[in-house]
Structures are given as structure tokens and as C-alpha cells.
Amino acid sequence: QVRVVESGGGSVQAGGSLKLSCVVSGYIGSMCMVWFRQAPGKEREGVGGTTLYADSVKGRFTVTLNNAKNTLYLQMNSLKPEDTAMYYCAADFRCPPNIGWYKPDAYHYWGQGTQVTVSS
């Protein structure tokens, strides 16, 4: 049974940094893993994977993958109040085409989320 667990969220002032982790377990083979976020009253949006990023986070966020630990990381620098959201890790055995990487429906497995709050 595939399990996705995020950690590392918290509260930080604008301009600060946080690093989120996502451990995916219970599977054999390889999986595609990406980060999403959802702010109150807004739709869930793709943040990025290891090669693709949302325009709103390019140059500030970096996604890395440790295959040996089945762990996906999200390093967030120069955080802004508009980055405040619940951050989710999503995974699937099938990687969606690049053109659709940001669509939540492309991923079957999700974590419970970790809250990131950025104050001004």
C-alpha cells in the first residue's frame, strides 16, 4: 500500500526559508513525485517537480529527489506571504506528459499536507 507523508512545514517571516520533505513508501519500482499547494479559497496548484516549476516559484524554490530514501524535497527560499498554503506531495506510477504535470488528476497518491505560513 503506497503511503505519502510530508513534513517540515511551519511559520516563517517573509524572506525566510523552509525545507519540506516527502517520503513515499510501500511500492516497488519508480514513481513520479511532485509538489502541490492549496491556499484557502483557492484551487490546488502545481508547485513543481525536479525539472518543472510553476512560474510563481521559479528561481526561489528547488525540488530534489533522493532515490535511495524515496524522499522528495522542496527547498523554499525568499518566501512571500502569497506562498502561504497547505503543501501536498503527490505521486503516481505513471508520469504525466510535461504539458500536464501540474494537473492534480494526474496523480493517484497524496499525502495529508503540511502547512506553510509566511508572515509579512
Side-chain angles (χ1 to χ4, degrees):
Q1 183 177 354
V2 176
R3 188 169 180 232
V4 180
V5 180
E6 307 97 334
S7 61
S11 297
V12 65
Q13 288 193 327
S17 299
L18 277 176
K19 186 173 184 177
L20 307 184
S21 299
C22 167
V23 178
V24 184
S25 60
Y27 70 97
I28 297 174
S30 63
M31 297 190 84
C32 256
M33 293 183 269
V34 298
W35 287 98
F36 282 80
R37 67 185 181 185
Q38 188 167 19
K42 293 188 176 181
E43 293 186 352
R44 193 165 296 192
E45 64 169 348
V47 173
T50 55
T51 59
L52 294 165
Y53 295 89
D55 288 343
S56 59
V57 306
K58 279 180 183 175
R60 300 188 298 121
F61 290 12
T62 304
V63 178
T64 55
L65 174 65
N66 185 324
N67 277 309
K69 295 184 178 181
N70 293 343
T71 302
L72 189 73
Y73 301 97
L74 177 62
Q75 177 67 48
M76 304 184 291
N77 299 327
S78 302
L79 281 161
K80 304 175 182 180
E82 50 264 45
D83 294 318
T84 295
M86 185 72 80
Y87 282 72
Y88 297 92
C89 180
D92 202 281
F93 288 107
R94 250 176 40 164
C95 291
N98 286 350
I99 196 171
W101 74 268
Y102 59 91
K103 297 180 179 179
D105 288 348
Y107 305 91
H108 282 89
Y109 304 103
W110 291 81
Q112 79 290 346
T114 186
Q115 178 68 37
V116 171
T117 302
V118 184
S119 58
S120 56

